[in-house]
Amino acid sequence: PSPAPSCSRTVLVIVMVLGFCGGLWGVPRVTSLWANAGIASASALRAAAVRQAPLWMTPQHQTSVVRNSAEDPYALGMGDIAASDEESRPNGLEVKPWMVRIDKSIAKSRKTKGGNYVQLATVDEHGRPRVRTVVFRGFLEHGGRVAMKMITDARSDKVTQIGKNNAGEMVWWFFKSSEQYRVSGTLQVVGPTDPDVDLDIARMQQWSKLTDAAREQFYWLDADVPGRKSKADIPDGGRDKDGNVLPPPDNFLLMLLWPEDVDYLRLRDNYRQVDRKAGDEWDITPVFP
């Protein structure tokens, strides 16, 4: 009789034993043991164990299995993004101001849909954080400082929150370059009665840059307001009959974040630094981890 079935059963038993021992003792150590015994190469046995991927394998080994699987891309964690990035990793600390870094990050993500969406957190009247996604609309230089521009409606909750506590933090994740910026500072809303003429001009300029659909939203009335306007009553695109952009309604606000601390993280090599404003200058400190 042919010995093939017996050999197949023997190989199967070896692989099963390896899968069990690999989870309890560590795949590299077990494969090395079997390879030294002359039974099979370490790479072949490790490949067999990875294919089985028992649930009780160590997190390190489970991660390697997930990265090799195209069936579950959403199981990747932040650490996996760094490990699986195909770009070359930068060498050295490369300490640079956050403004220099973010300009490059924005340039790399300019063509990414939604690349200018950021998360902005405020503090409510109970001291609890409130976060939402808003659109970053560029930088504004004013009075020797630089602010990050956004817009909002005077009727929104965040305007009330900012009026009571103007602390805020923005999180901006750049998928293209695997970089994260956490920008904390003070928030300011600029309306039609703002005493700073330059900021009011910036508000009107931002209004003119909006899309027609975005301008129309600021003419909507609250649902509980009597005499709510129908769509026919809303100026088409926020323009007059001649197609000219109308002046912004009073509820249109320019929202500014004045950065004071910026926590930068680059996941390609897990480099992190904190920029902290000190007067007119910025102190830059590499952070580990």
Side-chain angles (χ1 to χ4, degrees):
S2 173
S6 177
C7 291
S8 299
R9 286 194 297 271
T10 302
V11 172
L12 179 60
V13 170
I14 292 174
V15 171
M16 292 176 64
V17 171
L18 176 63
F20 177 77
C21 294
L24 299 178
W25 195 24
V27 170
R29 194 179 303 175
V30 175
T31 52
S32 176
L33 175 65
W34 285 108
N36 291 338
I39 295 178
S41 69
S43 59
L45 289 174
R46 190 175 191 280
V50 166
R51 282 195 297 271
Q52 291 195 27
L55 296 177
W56 30 261
M57 289 178 69
T58 63
Q60 176 185 358
H61 297 144
Q62 289 182 6
T63 299
S64 66
V65 173
V66 171
R67 276 203 298 269
N68 290 329
S69 172
E71 297 178 357
D72 193 9
Y74 298 104
L76 293 176
M78 298 294 274
D80 301 308
I81 296 175
S84 61
D85 197 306
E86 295 180 357
E87 297 183 30
S88 59
R89 295 186 174 186
N91 296 318
L93 295 180
E94 295 187 288
V95 176
K96 300 176 183 178
W98 75 273
M99 282 293 296
V100 174
R101 293 188 181 281
I102 203 167
D103 282 343
K104 292 183 178 180
S105 302
I106 292 173
K108 289 181 181 180
S109 301
R110 197 171 300 279
K111 296 183 179 180
T112 303
K113 185 177 181 180
N116 60 336
Y117 293 174
V118 299
Q119 282 64 55
L120 180 69
T122 53
V123 182
D124 68 12
E125 64 274 17
H126 303 293
R128 295 177 298 187
R130 297 294 179 181
V131 66
R132 77 285 293 162
T133 300
V134 296
V135 179
F136 170 76
R137 299 183 183 275
F139 294 99
L140 174 68
E141 295 186 20
H142 180 68
R145 298 190 298 165
V146 176
M148 306 180 79
K149 295 191 298 182
M150 296 153 283
I151 62 173
T152 189
D153 193 305
R155 299 166 292 184
S156 68
D157 291 339
K158 58 180 169 291
V159 174
T160 302
Q161 294 161 7
I162 294 171
K164 296 179 179 180
N165 186 339
N166 65 353
E169 180 165 296
M170 172 193 293
V171 176
W172 196 347
W173 165 250
F174 289 90
F175 174 79
K176 192 75 173 179
S177 55
S178 296
E179 295 172 296
Q180 175 184 268
Y181 294 82
R182 291 170 50 200
V183 185
S184 61
T186 56
L187 289 163
Q188 178 183 2
V189 290
V190 180
T193 60
D194 196 279
D196 192 315
V197 176
D198 291 335
L199 291 183
D200 187 47
I201 292 175
R203 169 180 170 266
M204 291 187 288
Q205 289 175 339
Q206 191 62 57
W207 170 256
S208 66
K209 293 178 182 179
L210 297 182
T211 63
D212 288 0
R215 276 192 294 268
E216 288 181 3
Q217 297 178 44
F218 289 91
Y219 291 97
W220 295 350
L221 291 183
D222 296 325
D224 58 350
V225 174
R228 177 178 171 81
K229 293 181 180 180
S230 66
K231 185 171 179 59
D233 297 321
I234 296 175
D236 190 17
R239 299 174 183 271
D240 61 20
K241 295 180 179 179
D242 296 325
N244 300 312
V245 176
L246 293 168
D250 291 349
N251 56 296
F252 172 76
L253 304 179
L254 176 66
M255 183 167 58
L256 304 174
L257 173 62
W258 298 96
E260 297 173 359
D261 293 270
V262 181
D263 191 320
Y264 167 77
L265 174 64
R266 182 177 60 210
L267 285 177
R268 285 180 291 149
D269 58 352
N270 288 318
Y271 171 75
R272 182 183 170 211
Q273 75 177 45
V274 174
D275 295 48
R276 182 163 289 112
K277 192 167 178 58
D280 295 332
E281 304 295 330
W282 286 86
D283 292 335
I284 307 174
T285 306
V287 180
F288 305 94

